[in-house]
Amino acid sequence: MNTGTVEGRSQTSGRGALIGLAALFFVPLVGAFWLYYAGGWRPAGSTNHGELITPARPLPAAELAAADGGSARADLLRGKWTLLYIGDGRCDERCRQALWTIRQTRLLLADDMDRVQRVFVAEAGCCDREFLAREHPGLETVIPAGSGAQDWLAQFPRAPGVAPGQFIYIIDPLGNLMMRFDVAQNPKGLLKDLERLLKLSHIG
């Protein structure tokens, strides 16, 4: 018998076994990735409490005025994770609940709280400054200004037929709008979503 032929068959058989073992490992892995990212399947334990905005929406530059009459920082929505609420500056009960939620959520992040900032966008009636200064020190309160104000506000999706002020929005440190959270939900859900984002993020 030809020794070379035997060795060739042995090498071919070895490669086949190696390919088979690799397939046993990689095929389920590829399948799992496809189900997770393309097939829309998620394990029950990874369900978001807020609603993902897909794809994430890069926010255009905006002309924002500070509540005290000056100009807001040009990079206000960059560099940190942002919890943003849009509502009337006179701040009704729903507004006060939303601002309480984002304040407490940030405080409960403990060591990660400095990675997060709070922004209140007053669409009109700005502002109940005494209440905001007393209850929400450190809150950035801004007013959309200029001809592009309405176009900028339109970047934040709102449910049809739902009154303004229904959602808290999450913006990543690169300025991408990526999630909204209904203020009527249990606020613990917002905390859990944000903790997960901060744990996975290497920015901000």
CSV table of all heavy atoms in Angstrom, one decimal, residues 64-72:
chain,number,residue,atom,x,y,z
A,64,LEU,N,-30.2,76.6,21.6
A,64,LEU,CA,-30.9,76.5,22.9
A,64,LEU,C,-30.5,77.6,23.8
A,64,LEU,O,-29.4,77.9,24.0
A,64,LEU,CB,-30.6,75.1,23.6
A,64,LEU,CG,-30.9,73.9,22.8
A,64,LEU,CD1,-30.4,72.7,23.6
A,64,LEU,CD2,-32.4,73.7,22.7
A,65,ALA,N,-31.5,78.3,24.4
A,65,ALA,CA,-31.3,79.4,25.3
A,65,ALA,C,-31.4,78.9,26.7
A,65,ALA,O,-32.3,78.0,27.0
A,65,ALA,CB,-32.3,80.5,25.0
A,66,ALA,N,-30.6,79.4,27.6
A,66,ALA,CA,-30.7,79.0,29.0
A,66,ALA,C,-31.9,79.8,29.6
A,66,ALA,O,-32.3,80.8,29.1
A,66,ALA,CB,-29.4,79.4,29.7
A,67,ALA,N,-32.4,79.2,30.7
A,67,ALA,CA,-33.6,79.8,31.3
A,67,ALA,C,-33.3,81.2,31.9
A,67,ALA,O,-34.3,82.0,32.0
A,67,ALA,CB,-34.1,78.9,32.4
A,68,ASP,N,-32.1,81.5,32.2
A,68,ASP,CA,-31.7,82.8,32.7
A,68,ASP,C,-31.5,83.8,31.6
A,68,ASP,O,-31.2,85.0,31.9
A,68,ASP,CB,-30.5,82.7,33.6
A,68,ASP,CG,-29.3,82.2,32.9
A,68,ASP,OD1,-29.3,82.1,31.6
A,68,ASP,OD2,-28.2,82.0,33.5
A,69,GLY,N,-31.7,83.5,30.4
A,69,GLY,CA,-31.6,84.4,29.3
A,69,GLY,C,-30.3,84.3,28.5
A,69,GLY,O,-30.2,84.9,27.4
A,70,GLY,N,-29.4,83.6,29.0
A,70,GLY,CA,-28.1,83.4,28.3
A,70,GLY,C,-28.2,82.3,27.2
A,70,GLY,O,-29.3,81.8,26.9
A,71,SER,N,-27.1,81.9,26.7
A,71,SER,CA,-27.1,80.8,25.7
A,71,SER,C,-26.6,79.5,26.4
A,71,SER,O,-25.7,79.5,27.2
A,71,SER,CB,-26.2,81.1,24.6
A,71,SER,OG,-26.6,82.2,23.9
A,72,ALA,N,-27.3,78.4,26.1
A,72,ALA,CA,-26.9,77.1,26.6
A,72,ALA,C,-25.6,76.7,25.9
A,72,ALA,O,-25.3,77.2,24.8
A,72,ALA,CB,-28.0,76.1,26.4
